[in-house]
Amino acid sequence: MLRRTPSSSPYARGLGSLRSWLEAAKPLPNHGPQPNHEPVPNETASSALRAELSLRCRALAGLCIPPACREALEALAASAETVDAAWSPVCEESIATLDALAAVADDWLATSLTVLRGIGPKRAEQLGRRGLGSVGDLLFSLPAGYEDRRRLTPLAEIEVGRPATFFGVVREVRRIHSGKRGGGLEVDVEDESGKVVLRWFRFADGIEERLEAGMRVCASGEVRRYRFTKQVAHPEIEVLGRAGAEFAENVVPEQFRRIVPRYKGGLGLSPLSLRRLTALAIEEFSDVVPGYWNPGDTPSGLEIGAALREVHAPAIDSDFESLAGRESEAHARLILEELYLLELGLALRKENEAQRPGISLRATAGPPAAAELPFALTGAQARVVAEITADLAAPHPMNRLLQGDVGCGKTVVAYLAVCVAAAAGHQSALMAPTELLAEQHLRSLRQLMGENSNLRMAGLTASRPRAEATAVRRALAAGELDLVVGTHALLQESVRFASLALAVIDEQHRFGVQQRAALAKRGPQGLAPHVMVMTATPIPRTLALTLYGDLDVSVIDERPPGRTPVRSEIFREGEGEAILDRVKQTLARDEQVFVVYPLIEKSEKVDLRNATESARRLAHALDGPQVDLIHGRLEASVRQAAMDRFGRGETRVLVATSVVEVGVDIPNATLMVVEHAERFGLAQLHQLRGRVGRGQRPGHCLFVSRGGGEDSEARLRALVETDDGFRIADADLRIRGPGEFLGTQQHGVLPDLRLADLARDARLLTRARDAAFERVRLDPGLAGDPALRRAVEEHWGDRIALKDVG
């Protein structure tokens, strides 16, 4: 039977509609009157039914569907018109044919590209290396840009250094010696205003066969100057035919006046070949693409197949600018489809978490440790603590994202949540992305505890001595610890908890969704622990809805009393003496200094050498204050000793090779020098400067730029102009995109969006999210639409750990 769902392709719906009509028109075995059923047709009625069947079949065959399906429908139409048989067998055979067509309708998009004419195994393998392994991959690989060939550009007006599309008449075709097999080719093309030379250094034979003097052509490519002539090397070219008796280049056949999609070539595939293959796929498969976003919810009302056709083959009256910016209605339709399925997956995750049995942790009058803190909570901290305390008291697991700038007091909030769990007799785990951050958390928590706290805690990282790590694991399993602080080591199978009720994950964007889910499975007796993820990176709303769409969000948007904004300045190469003077002035006030070098994987040795040399030069120049160096290659004990010295004030200047390794809290540090600031993103730089000025004295940050382009200059200027982390994060997302914004290459951190751009498509993301969460609210688990549920799982199951959702 057909899968009848409103969220399917025009082709599947057409098959379903035709089958339903045939069922209603099918004669019953008992020829007597039957309730709710049409009477048995006589010969005249049978003729009308045959004509209707033929008409419907030919209408379906006119869709953009695979040739095999079109041929089957056309054969069915011809049979209805010509075969002399009673209506009953015609009806039964037609239903059987439709069922056979429907059985394969859902598999076409996953079919190998070898089903397309002209694609053999070798070409399919070549396309596969480009990530185009199926018909669906090709359909959803959207154009990189467009060329507007509706308006003619006279050759006199084409500009050197810019791409151009133009028409003209071939005046001469000649061979040139290029050193390549068969030589090259030069073609002189003219119009009434000027001349251009087209050049090919390879594949000239095929071009020469198509061109001769007097041919009218359309050509596209980047214009260059060679001596005194404008040239275009390896242009894309179309032959329009022979020029008439009159020289009338401006009279161009209508079929050549169009907006042409431009695809990225490479790996032996030319942009023209990709355009031809995509056009073929559109012609034969676009109407079998299922759509799940309701077309009625977009102004254009476009079906997904129609949107694909408009994107890959725009109509002549399309708005070129909106197409080029991926902001057309057709693009919006496709982007909404992608985002809707993603947000449905996140809504299913959130729904599932809300139904899982959890551990109710009740605090009678707020966290008992709050009154013992050596300071009062800020208003924002108190608000967030109340939200978290309410979550912990619920019988279902908390899933909350805690956002806040560096130094806003997230660790205090996490500590109070841990105290609630400990007071209820349960354990907590805090996982950080680096050993240094884990060690810093341990120190901060011990300072918060003071001498009166009964909280039992320990650290567990990969570099801990084996005997110590074994003792921590044993105490954890025996229930002798209330809190363990560690890194990825907490996810090892050998780490067992007696009663884990709260998992706190710091800098969540450095972990994948699957890692978060793995820690959340460690609760006692099948009960899910509460999960709180923290980040000091202000996250734009669009990115938060994608990364953490299944979480509730709390924001600490208030600075602790007395904390003033850090003053930022930009320094250039050659201003080393001025920077050194600022360091000396800071040290003269008995304050401390960070000097940070970036850590780029491909040049790690170079960066390490630069930082080491910088530490040596500083020690020599300062002649007194001790300078220390930390980097990721140091053993944990050596690194810890250096951090302890800096924390006690014995070391006055700390040089570090990595942004994550300065995740420390040193109230006396007031100056941050960031070398090669152009290598960092805005959010990273904003975090770095938040490491100074954490005490009673104001902080200063010097960004030293040693190159970079306009984007890096724009980032640095934005930092000087504002200290609003969310405004900075929005700008960073626009400049660099989400992948670089997150600053990590770990798999599974961000779902792979093929069409949507989180900086550009914020409005569409909000619409998709609202619709998705409302859909799941009205249809829990999408039980009423298994096809939609299946589509969500196929698109996003592994990437957002949806396979764990029942």
Side-chain angles (χ1 to χ4, degrees):
M1 292 292 292
L2 290 170
R3 281 180 12 200
R4 298 186 183 90
T5 170
S7 51
S8 59
S9 68
Y11 174 61
R13 289 201 303 275
L15 289 177
S17 175
L18 180 52
R19 192 187 194 284
S20 297
W21 176 80
L22 284 168
E23 284 284 0
K26 182 171 63 174
L28 294 177
N30 181 354
H31 290 181
Q34 298 291 327
N36 302 320
H37 198 78
E38 296 182 8
V40 178
N42 56 30
E43 283 305 313
T44 302
S46 176
S47 176
L49 290 170
R50 287 166 177 271
E52 179 70 13
L53 173 59
S54 174
L55 188 66
R56 291 186 179 224
C57 286
R58 293 198 185 282
L60 262 179
L63 295 176
C64 296
I65 59 177
C69 300
R70 183 177 298 110
E71 291 166 6
L73 288 166
E74 288 174 345
L76 193 58
S79 176
E81 294 167 352
T82 60
V83 176
D84 185 16
W87 171 249
S88 181
V90 170
C91 189
E92 292 290 351
E93 290 173 11
S94 300
I95 289 175
T97 299
L98 294 178
D99 283 347
L101 290 173
V104 297
D106 294 331
D107 299 327
W108 280 115
L109 294 186
T111 304
S112 166
L113 288 171
T114 53
V115 299
L116 296 176
R117 296 189 303 273
I119 298 186
K122 282 190 176 181
R123 176 53 65 92
E125 182 182 349
Q126 194 178 32
L127 289 162
R129 291 197 293 270
R130 279 281 304 271
L132 304 174
S134 68
V135 170
D137 292 335
L138 190 59
L139 289 175
F140 284 94
S141 181
L142 301 191
Y146 296 88
E147 296 172 4
D148 193 347
R149 299 185 182 177
R150 298 171 300 180
R151 187 169 48 85
L152 299 178
T153 303
L155 289 178
E157 296 179 15
I158 61 176
E159 299 180 35
V160 174
R162 297 176 67 90
T165 300
F166 49 87
F167 294 90
V169 174
V170 174
R171 290 307 183 203
E172 184 181 354
V173 180
R174 56 186 175 273
R175 281 285 188 169
I176 58 173
H177 178 70
S178 66
K180 305 288 183 182
R181 186 189 304 177
L185 192 70
E186 280 188 347
V187 178
D188 292 340
V189 174
E190 295 180 353
D191 69 3
E192 293 175 319
S193 69
K195 170 184 173 181
V196 69
V197 178
L198 311 182
R199 302 192 74 181
W200 287 268
F201 300 100
R202 55 186 182 276
F203 310 123
D205 291 344
I207 302 294
E208 187 177 22
E209 290 173 2
R210 300 166 54 199
L211 295 178
E212 59 182 62
M215 290 286 190
R216 302 182 64 239
V217 295
C218 169
S220 299
E222 184 173 338
V223 182
R224 301 175 183 174
R225 185 175 296 281
Y226 178 71
R227 295 180 180 172
F228 303 105
T229 308
K230 291 178 181 178
Q231 294 194 350
V232 180
H234 289 276
E236 185 179 315
I237 190 168
E238 293 185 64
V239 179
L240 280 64
R242 279 206 156 271
E246 298 181 3
F247 193 86
E249 285 79 10
N250 288 337
V251 181
V252 179
E254 200 62 35
Q255 67 266 30
F256 292 100
R257 291 180 182 270
R258 64 190 191 277
I259 297 174
V260 178
R262 178 168 46 82
Y263 301 91
K264 289 183 179 178
L267 295 178
L269 295 166
S270 71
L272 182 58
S273 295
L274 284 172
R275 191 165 78 227
R276 288 171 177 165
L277 291 176
T278 304
L280 185 58
I282 285 290
E283 178 187 339
E284 296 186 351
F285 289 92
S286 57
D287 278 327
V288 302
V289 179
Y292 301 96
W293 176 265
N294 183 3
D297 290 340
T298 53
S300 62
L302 282 175
E303 292 269 12
I304 192 167
L308 284 168
R309 288 192 290 275
E310 172 62 17
V311 164
H312 287 290
I316 193 168
D317 59 349
S318 299
D319 184 299
F320 180 80
E321 296 301 326
S322 66
L323 281 170
R326 289 198 172 189
E327 295 175 340
S328 69
E329 285 293 336
H331 281 96
R333 172 68 181 85
L334 300 175
I335 291 166
L336 279 168
E337 185 79 15
E338 179 176 54
L339 294 175
Y340 181 53
L341 291 178
L342 171 61
E343 292 296 332
L344 279 172
L346 294 172
L348 289 171
R349 279 194 61 84
K350 188 168 186 177
E351 175 193 51
N352 184 71
E353 291 298 322
Q355 294 173 351
R356 293 174 65 186
I359 306 163
S360 178
L361 306 174
R362 295 189 178 275
T364 55
E372 301 173 6
L373 292 172
F375 51 81
L377 296 176
T378 65
Q381 285 175 317
R383 182 189 73 247
V384 170
V385 167
E387 293 171 350
I388 291 170
T389 303
D391 280 357
L392 294 176
H396 303 292
M398 171 180 71
N399 280 280
R400 186 167 288 276
L401 166 66
L402 176 58
Q403 285 197 83
D405 257 342
V406 173
C408 71
K410 295 184 300 298
T411 304
V412 176
V413 172
Y415 167 69
L416 296 177
V418 168
C419 289
V420 171
H426 295 281
Q427 295 172 307
S428 301
L430 193 162
M431 187 166 73
T434 67
E435 292 195 3
L436 199 65
L437 281 175
E439 292 157 3
Q440 172 62 31
H441 277 307
L442 268 175
R443 285 194 297 272
S444 298
L445 290 168
R446 285 184 175 131
Q447 289 172 2
L448 289 170
M449 285 168 49
E451 299 179 358
N452 300 323
S453 176
N454 295 319
L455 194 68
R456 302 167 297 175
M457 74 171 74
L460 184 61
T461 59
S463 64
R464 293 261 170 172
R466 179 176 297 181
E468 183 181 335
T470 299
V472 170
R473 284 194 292 267
R474 186 179 297 119
L476 200 59
E480 297 168 0
L481 288 175
D482 301 310
L483 170 66
V484 61
V485 180
T487 56
H488 294 76
L490 297 180
L491 300 176
Q492 295 173 353
E493 287 296 325
S494 59
V495 178
R496 303 188 183 280
F497 296 85
S499 181
L500 179 64
L502 173 64
V504 180
I505 303 174
D506 191 26
E507 294 302 337
Q508 156 68 15
H509 65 275
R510 298 184 184 277
F511 299 102
V513 176
Q514 291 85 351
Q515 292 167 306
R516 187 177 95 205
L519 192 58
K521 290 179 180 177
R522 302 293 182 93
Q525 302 172 348
L527 297 176
H530 301 279
V531 175
M532 179 171 68
V533 299
M534 306 192 301
T535 179
T537 303
I539 302 174
R541 186 171 183 271
T542 52
L543 194 56
L545 293 182
T546 307
L547 272 174
Y548 312 117
D550 58 329
L551 305 182
D552 296 310
V553 179
S554 292
V555 179
I556 302 179
D557 51 7
E558 182 180 355
R559 285 191 179 93
R563 185 73 58 84
T564 58
V566 176
R567 181 184 174 191
S568 302
E569 300 176 62
I570 302 173
F571 282 75
R572 311 291 177 184
E573 190 166 11
E575 295 187 273
E577 285 297 325
I579 297 169
L580 183 59
D581 286 345
R582 297 291 290 275
V583 172
K584 290 179 177 178
Q585 292 168 18
T586 303
L587 297 176
R589 295 192 297 269
D590 200 27
E591 298 165 4
Q592 291 170 277
V593 180
F594 286 112
V595 179
V596 179
Y597 277 79
L599 182 62
I600 308 299
E601 288 186 3
K602 291 183 180 179
S603 57
E604 181 179 355
K605 293 180 180 178
V606 175
D607 288 323
L608 181 59
R609 186 171 64 248
N610 287 344
T612 305
E613 178 63 20
S614 174
R616 186 190 64 77
R617 289 199 311 269
L618 276 171
H620 177 74
L622 297 174
D623 191 27
Q626 186 179 351
V627 178
D628 245 340
L629 169 69
I630 61 170
H631 55 79
R633 294 185 177 183
L634 291 175
E635 292 186 6
S637 58
V638 177
R639 188 172 60 229
Q640 184 59 57
M643 291 306 308
D644 289 342
R645 288 193 296 272
F646 193 63
R648 291 191 298 266
E650 297 171 9
T651 301
R652 307 289 302 284
V653 179
L654 184 66
V655 180
T657 61
S658 168
V659 59
V660 297
E661 288 187 339
V662 295
V664 294
D665 188 2
I666 308 295
N668 194 45
T670 61
L671 179 65
M672 167 77 67
V673 179
V674 184
E675 282 282 355
H676 291 288
E678 72 280 357
R679 292 192 185 180
F680 292 96
L682 265 170
Q684 292 171 300
L685 292 171
H686 179 61
Q687 280 198 69
L688 275 174
R689 70 175 172 186
R691 303 296 177 187
V692 295
R694 299 168 70 92
Q696 298 302 312
R697 300 178 183 182
H700 293 79
C701 188
L702 312 183
F703 298 119
V704 185
S705 176
R706 300 187 181 277
E710 293 182 8
D711 284 352
S712 62
E713 284 296 311
R715 288 199 297 269
L716 295 178
R717 285 196 300 271
L719 282 165
V720 172
E721 292 168 1
T722 181
D723 67 335
D724 185 322
F726 286 95
R727 286 177 57 193
I728 288 170
D730 282 332
D732 202 16
L733 184 63
R734 286 194 302 272
I735 292 171
R736 299 194 301 156
E740 287 188 38
F741 174 91
L742 293 172
T744 178
Q745 296 179 355
Q746 291 188 17
H747 175 71
V749 172
L750 181 70
D752 181 19
L753 294 167
R754 290 200 295 185
L755 311 180
D757 181 295
L758 295 180
R760 180 194 63 214
D761 300 321
R763 175 180 55 86
L764 299 179
L765 178 61
T766 300
R767 287 178 61 193
R769 179 177 176 80
D770 291 345
F773 275 72
E774 177 67 7
R775 179 64 183 270
V776 172
R777 186 186 70 80
L778 296 175
D779 181 13
L782 298 179
D785 195 342
L788 179 56
R789 167 84 187 209
R790 197 156 42 245
V792 174
E793 291 173 346
E794 288 171 358
H795 279 79
W796 301 108
D798 290 338
R799 284 175 280 183
I800 61 173
L802 191 59
K803 61 186 177 182
D804 297 327
V805 176

